[in-house]
Amino acid sequence: MTAVEDPTSSVGLPPAKEVGQARRRKEDARLITGKTTWTDNMVLPGMLHLAVLRSPVAHGRITHLDVSAAKERPNVVAVYTGADLAEEQGSLPCAWPVTPDMVNPGHPSIAVEQVNHVGEAVAVVVARSRTAAADALEAIDVDYEPLPVVLDMEQAVQEGSPLVHDHTTSNTSYHFVFDAGEAGTGSDTEQAFADAEVVVSRRFVQQRLIPAFMEPRSVVVQPSGDNYTMWSATQIPHILRVMAAMVTGIPEHKLRVIAPDVGGGFGGKLQVNPEEILCLLIARRLGKPVKWTETRGESLMTAHHGRDQVQFIDVAADRDGTVKGLRVRLLADMGAYLRLITPGVPALGAFMFPGIYKFPAYRFECDGVFTNKVPTDAYRGAGRPEATFAIERIMDELAVELGMDPLEVRRKNWINAEEFPFTTVAGLEYDSGDYHQATEQALELLGYDELRAEQKRRRESGDPVQLGIGFSTFTEMCGLAPSRVLGSLAFGAGGWEQASIRMLPTGKVEVVTGSTPHGQGHETAWSQIVADQLGVPFEDVEVLHGDTAISSRGLDTYGSRSLVVGGTAVVKAAEKVVEKARVIAAHLLEANADDLEFTGGKFTVRGTPGAGVGIQEVALAIFAAHDYPEGVEPTIDAEATFDPENFSFPHGTHICAMEIDTETGFAKIRKYACVDDVGTIVNPLIVEGQVHGGLAQGIAQAMYEEAIYDAEGNLTTGSFVDYLVPAASDLPHFDTGNTVHAATSNPLGAKGVGEAGCIASTPAVVNAALDAVRHLGVTDIRMPLTPERVWRAIHQGGDGGDRAAAGSNAQGATAGETAAASTDPSSSGGHL
């Protein structure tokens, strides 16, 4: 990894010794070897196990439900139905009402009278062992009256369509409009299109994806009188505590939530799950600890999904390539219910459709649509990958329409380095960056000129394997904050974060953070930050997290906010520690506090270098409390809360070189180069890992993954035999680099990196594939780029998606198509 340094990135911070070092992660030894505590490791005395009976019907009324035989099975303690829990289960929370008139039908943790997607809970067995609970499910007798199944969004919003929820008047949950035109009338945007010399319109499909985290969801609840401790494989222990208290009526101060080490989340564990509420309710009823751990099939079928949009994009431009206006209309699949932030995901993306380009006019509309599928919610990037895909695809389409080089169209319209800070047409203020610099470095990493020359030779020779090059020049809004902005968007929480630092008598340091890691490397990065701030050894810092009894305040981890917001809270807490220690040190040195300098962990008297005391010595002195100033508390511990005034905006240029065998449709990434600007880099090794992981998921969307439902609403990709998660062997070598332009919204200068690769890579891959075969008459290829789809697009025209053959499954391929792709020897994916 190479980096172009920005000398302003460390302004206001102590000299960096640890920050910037490629430290191996402290947490890796226990995570890699499994010598840690996962939720499913929890074994408590007298613990009972839950198994959930799930609906095989996508839409139907429960006409008969008999659990009597299940109650008689060996080792079964209790069986509960929705009717048993109806008075106390409440409704699962939706924290983002994006419009005042948004329709929220409510979401019971367990169905009472009607089921609305396959996999919805209809009964729960409680037994002394997990196997006994699972076996007893077979004894439950259920009958359903089938109801019409609603799957296609474009049909669902038509007049007369069957309703997912019969107590609503339509399948539209909300209509959200963001209009940058004059007074919200859209007149500026419409005039821009009326005056434009060229208008390009496209329909893109963001297929439904499954987060597919490594560790399945699991929850354990232990009651103790009227107190409850919940262990959960969650990204959001603090938010879960608040929401679970609100849903169940358990007082918040009586509920402790612990997220032990969590094996991945990608947004899929940013949720209040039905099973978490059911475990709380049943533990309260029985007065015994209860546990539920999902099977992989349950995970794929019932954990929330991501993406699933139909995008209608119009761009207006002049013949010289100058963009004049952008219109976006989305249909966003909510699934059967609104989960924690389901409706807000596409609305969040509204601010990013203009990307890095200087559009003078912009209008965005989105309809949230109910269907009989599992709900959608946050998946890595949450709205921003969808927006980036659309704008980067339409910029390529504009270049084709104008006969221009796709990179030249981008250069003509992107924000120039000297124009920062720049307020976009969507109202965001981008603070720093240099898109030209990142692009030039990426072109060099790729070997662009040589590959273009090779592409020309292959086309001229009629080589059956054609070469294409695709670009994605992107930015994203990260550091999900500030609170006032989130409030203006009706988001149900703020965006602040809290941290505290405890100086122990022996000089060791405990850092308590409200950010809850699930693989991001907080323990290492936070240790590096504190080591520099306090001048203590990296090894002397311990980071505590994920337990609401230890870290009482926090807003957890998602939206690339941990370093930007949580890391800054750590910096501010450390600054307070130093200032409190300064007063004690001045007393010990018999000096004025204003005359002290603090460098490398030691206070010295200005002009008297021999006189000094280390901050770790101060910690011991204040613990003993034998000699400290009057009116001063005997502690140098401190806490801080940080709420930024702006988002952060990482950016980058990703370039993909793709080979496509025109005879088989087999697509292979020849080379992938990317240069990202994530601001100040605390640990290059962690950044590299985050980029690689994001690239794997973004490429997976482009080439492999898709959640597919058949005409009856059954998930046909309910195992890793059918849901194609790529293995390392399916992915190319990544040539990565960095430019560094510090963010101005936080003293670290950090911008965020967790979602960058996932956001940027998908359009780069699809643009490369189209560049390889566009001269053969191909205008689009639906994701994922399976060999069959690519072959169809080349040889039969269209987008390769075979929409007509998909029947009611308009959001994806047919089950047969996916099966064919997964068994085709030319397919290059599908391994776990």
Side-chain angles (χ1 to χ4, degrees):
M1 173 180 284
T2 58
V4 177
E5 298 295 340
D6 178 356
T8 67
S9 62
S10 59
V11 170
L13 297 178
K17 295 180 180 178
E18 282 292 337
V19 169
Q21 298 299 313
R23 281 277 194 178
R24 290 196 175 191
R25 303 197 318 176
K26 286 184 173 183
E27 49 270 76
D28 277 352
R30 71 174 191 270
L31 294 176
I32 292 171
T33 61
K35 294 178 180 178
T36 187
T37 301
W38 311 106
T39 303
D40 194 37
N41 294 153
M42 298 295 302
V43 178
L44 302 176
M47 186 170 71
L48 302 174
H49 297 261
L50 305 188
V52 181
L53 182 70
R54 302 189 180 278
S55 170
V57 174
H59 201 200
R61 293 188 179 90
I62 302 171
T63 57
H64 173 75
L65 178 53
D66 184 357
V67 300
S68 57
K71 291 180 178 179
E72 302 303 317
R73 287 292 183 99
N75 292 311
V76 169
V77 174
V79 183
Y80 297 101
T81 67
D84 296 325
L85 301 174
E87 296 301 317
E88 57 187 295
Q89 69 167 314
S91 179
L92 291 172
C94 174
W96 204 337
V98 293
T99 64
D101 60 350
M102 183 186 81
V103 175
N104 183 357
H107 185 185
S109 294
I110 181 170
V112 179
E113 297 176 342
Q114 181 171 309
V115 293
N116 294 306
H117 67 84
V118 170
E120 187 166 1
V122 295
V124 181
V125 173
V126 188
R128 294 184 177 87
S129 71
R130 186 175 179 178
T131 53
D135 289 345
L137 294 179
E138 299 175 358
I140 299 176
D141 186 24
V142 192
D143 291 329
Y144 302 91
E145 176 191 339
L147 296 171
V149 178
V150 180
L151 297 174
D152 187 312
M153 285 188 285
E154 291 172 282
Q155 293 177 10
V157 297
Q158 297 300 315
E159 181 110 12
S161 172
L163 296 176
V164 173
H165 300 281
D166 55 14
H167 60 285
T168 64
T169 58
S170 78
N171 290 317
T172 300
S173 172
Y174 65 86
H175 180 69
F176 177 88
V177 177
F178 179 88
D179 197 330
E182 182 180 355
T185 64
S187 59
D188 290 356
T189 306
E190 294 310 308
Q191 191 62 48
F193 275 83
D195 295 342
E197 296 173 349
V198 175
V199 173
V200 177
S201 300
R202 294 291 184 270
R203 175 187 183 274
F204 301 133
V205 174
Q206 282 277 319
Q207 79 269 37
R208 179 173 279 246
L209 301 178
I210 301 176
F213 30 73
M214 185 177 293
E215 177 205 20
R217 295 173 300 164
S218 182
V219 58
V220 176
V221 175
Q222 182 177 41
S224 178
D226 60 352
N227 290 276
Y228 301 86
T229 300
M230 174 189 286
W231 291 265
S232 182
T234 181
Q235 297 176 220
I236 53 167
H238 296 89
I239 294 173
L240 174 58
R241 182 193 191 201
V242 173
M243 294 298 182
M246 294 173 69
V247 170
T248 63
I250 295 171
E252 185 182 351
H253 64 289
K254 298 290 187 180
L255 177 59
R256 175 185 183 185
V257 176
I258 302 172
D261 280 328
V262 175
F266 313 121
K269 294 175 182 173
L270 200 177
Q271 197 54 260
V272 178
N273 290 302
E275 296 81 9
E276 289 164 330
I277 302 303
L278 290 172
C279 282
L280 265 177
L281 296 177
I282 292 169
R284 181 168 65 180
R285 280 204 173 199
L286 298 178
K288 294 180 180 293
V290 297
K291 177 180 183 179
W292 171 81
T293 300
E294 68 183 353
T295 65
R296 182 59 68 183
E298 284 181 298
S299 179
L300 295 172
M301 179 172 60
T302 68
H304 75 245
H305 294 171
R307 311 288 191 254
D308 208 347
Q309 295 180 359
V310 178
Q311 305 173 320
F312 301 91
I313 315 296
D314 307 317
V315 63
D318 287 341
R319 282 285 172 194
D320 67 356
T322 303
V323 294
K324 296 297 185 180
L326 179 67
R327 286 189 306 226
V328 177
R329 184 169 66 87
L330 299 185
L331 294 178
D333 196 334
M334 304 287 96
Y337 300 105
L338 302 183
R339 300 297 298 274
L340 192 61
I341 59 172
T342 299
V345 169
L348 183 64
F351 298 93
M352 296 313 302
F353 276 88
I356 65 172
Y357 307 111
K358 294 182 286 188
F359 283 98
Y362 169 53
R363 179 178 172 85
F364 172 93
E365 297 181 63
C366 175
D367 288 320
V369 183
F370 291 120
T371 63
N372 291 118
K373 305 177 194 173
V374 73
T376 57
D377 208 292
Y379 175 59
R380 197 170 190 170
R384 290 153 293 160
E386 297 92 315
T388 299
F389 180 83
I391 189 61
E392 289 304 293
R393 283 286 296 108
I394 200 70
M395 291 302 283
D396 260 35
E397 296 301 307
L398 176 62
V400 171
E401 179 71 22
L402 297 174
M404 294 178 65
D405 181 276
L407 189 54
E408 182 57 32
V409 170
R410 288 168 167 83
R411 285 189 175 118
K412 190 172 189 67
N413 290 289
W414 69 36
I415 303 157
N416 295 308
E418 63 273 13
E419 295 177 287
F420 289 103
F422 184 91
T423 301
T424 74
V425 70
L428 298 177
E429 185 181 279
Y430 296 174
D431 58 343
S432 67
D434 190 329
Y435 308 136
H436 177 80
Q437 184 185 44
T439 301
E440 290 305 309
Q441 189 174 331
L443 290 169
E444 184 177 346
L445 281 174
L446 186 78
Y448 178 71
D449 291 339
E450 293 84 353
L451 286 171
R452 279 295 188 204
E454 181 183 344
Q455 180 189 49
K456 184 173 183 293
R457 291 194 300 270
R458 289 195 183 200
R459 287 190 180 179
E460 289 173 347
S461 66
D463 194 319
V465 178
Q466 290 290 300
L467 178 66
I469 300 173
F471 293 93
S472 175
T473 51
F474 84 107
T475 190
E476 55 163 324
M477 55 194 292
C478 283
L480 196 57
S483 298
R484 290 183 181 88
V485 174
L486 295 177
S488 71
L489 296 174
F491 186 61
W496 52 265
E497 194 51 82
Q498 188 179 62
S500 62
I501 294 179
R502 304 196 289 243
M503 291 292 300
L504 305 183
T506 56
K508 310 303 182 186
V509 184
E510 289 181 336
V511 179
V512 181
T513 177
S515 298
T516 303
H518 45 282
Q520 290 86 351
H522 290 40
E523 294 176 32
T524 303
W526 277 216
S527 294
Q528 290 179 270
I529 291 169
V530 171
D532 280 350
Q533 290 284 314
L534 300 184
V536 300
F538 170 80
E539 294 77 13
D540 285 357
V541 183
E542 185 79 8
V543 178
L544 307 176
H545 56 79
D547 184 340
T548 62
I550 295 172
S551 170
S552 60
R553 281 170 54 83
L555 284 172
D556 306 315
T557 295
Y558 42 85
S560 295
R561 68 187 305 272
S562 292
L563 180 61
V564 174
V565 189
T568 299
V570 170
V571 168
K572 291 190 170 294
E575 290 172 345
K576 290 183 178 181
V577 168
V578 171
E579 290 312 303
K580 292 175 78 171
R582 183 186 301 276
V583 176
I584 311 300
H587 179 80
L588 296 174
L589 294 170
E590 298 181 346
N592 190 303
D594 293 337
D595 293 333
L596 295 190
E597 296 178 336
F598 181 69
T599 306
K602 187 175 183 179
F603 292 97
T604 57
V605 180
R606 189 178 293 110
T608 313
V613 61
I615 195 170
Q616 292 174 302
E617 297 173 78
V618 173
L620 180 58
I622 201 63
F623 169 75
H626 295 160
D627 184 17
Y628 65 98
E630 292 290 336
V632 173
E633 292 181 322
T635 178
I636 59 173
D637 297 350
E639 65 179 32
T641 302
F642 177 62
D643 193 351
E645 295 182 359
N646 194 9
F647 300 97
S648 62
F649 299 96
H651 73 82
T653 296
H654 288 228
I655 315 176
C656 176
M658 171 81 77
E659 292 182 335
I660 288 187
D661 188 328
T662 60
E663 295 176 343
T664 65
F666 177 70
K668 177 183 178 182
I669 296 178
R670 163 82 170 273
K671 195 168 186 180
Y672 196 100
C674 61
V675 174
D676 289 291
D677 193 320
V678 299
T680 300
I681 295 174
V682 173
N683 187 314
L685 195 63
I686 292 176
V687 167
E688 184 85 342
Q690 288 281 4
V691 170
H692 280 209
L695 291 175
Q697 287 187 273
I699 291 170
Q701 175 174 8
M703 299 185 68
Y704 302 110
E705 296 186 24
E706 183 174 24
I708 298 172
Y709 287 84
D710 67 15
E712 285 74 45
N714 298 297
L715 183 68
T716 64
T717 52
S719 77
F720 285 138
V721 173
D722 305 295
Y723 189 80
L724 307 184
V725 177
S729 58
D730 297 311
L731 299 169
H733 170 79
F734 301 124
D735 293 291
T736 64
N738 291 97
T739 58
V740 180
H741 296 84
T744 61
S745 57
N746 63 84
L748 280 169
K751 293 183 176 180
V753 68
E755 297 159 313
C758 190
I759 290 171
S761 56
T762 308
V765 172
V766 175
N767 282 338
L770 284 167
D771 186 58
V773 296
R774 197 182 288 272
H775 65 290
L776 301 176
V778 178
T779 59
D780 194 16
I781 308 174
R782 284 268 302 280
M783 295 187 293
L785 306 179
T786 63
E788 181 176 355
R789 280 190 173 169
V790 175
W791 187 92
R792 285 181 184 275
I794 294 170
H795 295 277
Q796 297 181 358
D799 63 5
D802 196 13
R803 179 177 170 82
S808 63
N809 177 33
Q811 306 309 311
T814 62
E817 178 188 339
T818 298
S822 64
T823 56
D824 186 337
S826 67
S827 176
S828 62
H831 308 293
L832 177 62

